[in-house]
Amino acid sequence: LSSCRRKLNASRELEPVELPNCHLIKGIESGAEDIDILPNGLAFISCGLKYPGLKSFAPDKPGEILLMDLNDENPRAVELRISRGFDIASFNPHGISTYIDKDDSVYLFVVNHPVFKTTVEVFKFVEDDNSLVHLKTIRHDLLPRVNDIVAVGPDNFYATNDHYFSDPILIYLELFLGLTWSNVVYYSPTEVKEVASGFYSANGINISPDKKHVYIADLMAHNIHLMEKHANWSLTPVKVLELDTLIDNLSVDPYTGDVWGGCHPNGMKLFLYDPENVPGSEVLRIQNIHSANPTVTQVYAENGSVLQGSSVAAVHSGKLLIGTIFHRALYYTSSVL
Ligand SMILES: [Ca+2]
Ligand SMILES: [Ca+2]
């Protein structure tokens, strides 16, 4: 119990770090959990997550996927239409990942929790039509509680299971006993296997620009695991980067290889949401993550006002998008990036 309390209590009161030239994106009122940006500047945003134990501002509204074109002077978020036949009423999107195939087809992988179960939905993005065509729903015993995924092919991916149990009561038990049963699974239509284990709560996952390394954020352990990817899709540990905050989703700058983390400096405030004492937000940029001394920069920090619970920070050509669990996405441009 005490170890869990300690982990949740990364309860730093932050020195605020301002973002110059930042703009709130209108129309996102029920949280933006994850963001993935294509090389051409089109950003996909997963909105409206309902998660056991976390406050939802729109409990009766289905989740949605928004699209933003970061090439626009004043980008707006537009809801993507989803093809008929997909159950939109129970759509509860969590982590997302894009994959561009050899023929330039764009696939969007979405972790979904219809009635709090876990599926992975695969969509094809139709840009001319601002729509997503649903291709398939993936369910598997080794994918009981997926948080985030990183696509490595048109129908294969790595996924983090943030908890071993899917029953809410057992999740609390798991959390409070400090069990390290959270893991990473590789999925393909022909092979599904656990490729990494022993996490308190594996959360964000992403891949290096050269596709040789996979990065995994362990939210409750306050660290990022660097793993080497092999030809048979297995992963082996390289090193662990310790940080003093709860790291959620990870983004990788395709040009610099910098790793960006949306972080929660105070776990208790995150899980026990109080409008009078809202959770803070923190965005970290990690440069040269493979070197002996990576540079960790706190790009944004506050104790809770505009951004409440930054779950993701993603960059494209010097522009930064921050998604938050409890509030809106934020758009930011700066010459320092
Ligand atoms: Ca993701
Ligand atoms: Ca997450």
Side-chain angles (χ1 to χ4, degrees):
L1 190 75
S2 63
S3 84
C4 174
R5 285 258 160 79
R6 187 171 52 76
K7 287 183 194 314
L8 279 172
N9 266 329
S11 56
R12 289 176 302 128
E13 290 298 312
L14 300 170
E15 279 298 317
V17 177
E18 293 275 328
L19 282 176
N21 306 320
C22 68
H23 306 279
L24 271 179
I25 302 302
K26 294 205 174 82
I28 305 172
E29 301 297 333
S30 54
E33 152 77 21
D34 200 10
I35 298 170
D36 206 32
I37 307 177
L38 294 176
N40 65 6
L42 291 180
F44 295 86
I45 307 170
S46 137
C47 290
L49 172 68
K50 288 165 276 295
Y51 188 90
L54 281 186
K55 163 86 178 160
S56 167
F57 285 89
D60 302 319
K61 190 172 172 258
E64 56 193 9
I65 303 292
L66 305 182
L67 185 75
M68 273 179 82
D69 187 348
L70 297 181
N71 304 298
D72 288 352
E73 187 109 356
N74 294 301
R76 293 185 312 127
V78 190
E79 183 181 353
L80 288 177
R81 204 166 50 78
I82 295 178
S83 62
R84 265 191 288 172
F86 180 73
D87 181 13
I88 291 167
S90 68
F91 192 36
N92 186 11
H94 197 172
I96 59 174
S97 178
T98 55
Y99 184 81
I100 304 174
D101 209 357
K102 292 179 193 78
D103 65 357
D104 290 335
S105 295
V106 174
Y107 298 98
L108 181 70
F109 291 64
V110 180
V111 177
N112 186 16
H113 302 299
V115 287
F116 299 115
K117 296 193 166 13
T118 287
T119 59
V120 174
E121 312 292 350
V122 186
F123 299 96
K124 188 174 180 178
F125 172 53
V126 185
E127 190 176 346
D128 299 341
D129 197 30
N130 262 0
S131 72
L132 295 169
V133 174
H134 185 243
L135 299 180
K136 59 180 158 183
T137 297
I138 295 164
R139 292 182 190 84
H140 197 277
D141 288 346
L142 287 181
L143 303 170
R145 268 240 62 93
V146 179
N147 190 300
D148 195 17
I149 44 178
V150 60
V152 290
D155 49 17
N156 46 338
F157 57 83
Y158 291 103
T160 56
N161 283 300
D162 57 10
H163 298 98
Y164 175 79
F165 294 113
S166 47
D167 181 291
I169 293 167
L170 294 177
I171 289 176
Y172 278 109
L173 191 72
E174 186 179 348
L175 209 64
F176 281 99
L177 292 177
L179 302 179
T180 53
W181 290 2
S182 158
N183 66 0
V184 178
V185 167
Y186 169 73
Y187 177 93
S188 77
T190 53
E191 185 187 26
V192 187
K193 60 182 180 183
E194 182 183 78
V195 287
S197 60
F199 302 95
Y200 282 100
S201 187
N203 198 305
I205 185 164
N206 223 314
I207 196 162
S208 60
D210 64 8
K211 313 291 181 203
K212 289 181 178 163
H213 292 91
V214 171
Y215 310 125
I216 300 144
D218 189 334
L219 181 98
M220 296 296 279
H222 310 165
N223 57 31
I224 297 174
H225 291 245
L226 278 71
M227 307 200 92
E228 188 180 347
K229 173 175 148 289
H230 301 281
N232 66 357
W233 304 103
S234 67
L235 300 177
T236 50
V238 176
K239 67 171 177 177
V240 179
L241 183 66
E242 299 291 343
L243 299 160
D244 188 23
T245 188
L246 284 76
I247 310 131
D248 200 322
N249 294 321
L250 299 174
S251 302
V252 180
D253 185 322
Y255 302 103
T256 63
D258 293 353
V259 176
W260 289 76
C263 306
H264 311 292
N266 188 314
M268 279 298 189
K269 283 193 192 178
L270 184 73
F271 289 103
L272 304 172
Y273 183 85
D274 175 0
E276 302 297 315
N277 186 16
V278 293
S281 280
E282 187 171 28
V283 170
L284 295 181
R285 174 201 207 177
I286 303 151
Q287 293 166 286
N288 305 311
I289 194 164
H290 292 278
S291 72
N293 291 302
T295 308
V296 180
T297 311
Q298 192 189 38
V299 174
Y300 178 78
E302 67 162 331
N303 290 314
S305 60
V306 182
L307 294 182
Q308 300 174 20
S310 295
S311 50
V312 61
V315 288
H316 173 77
S317 303
K319 295 166 185 171
L320 175 64
L321 260 182
I322 302 172
T324 72
I325 297 177
F326 299 116
H327 226 238
R328 302 152 177 155
L330 176 135
Y331 171 70
Y332 163 59
T333 312
S334 172
S335 55
V336 297
L337 296 179

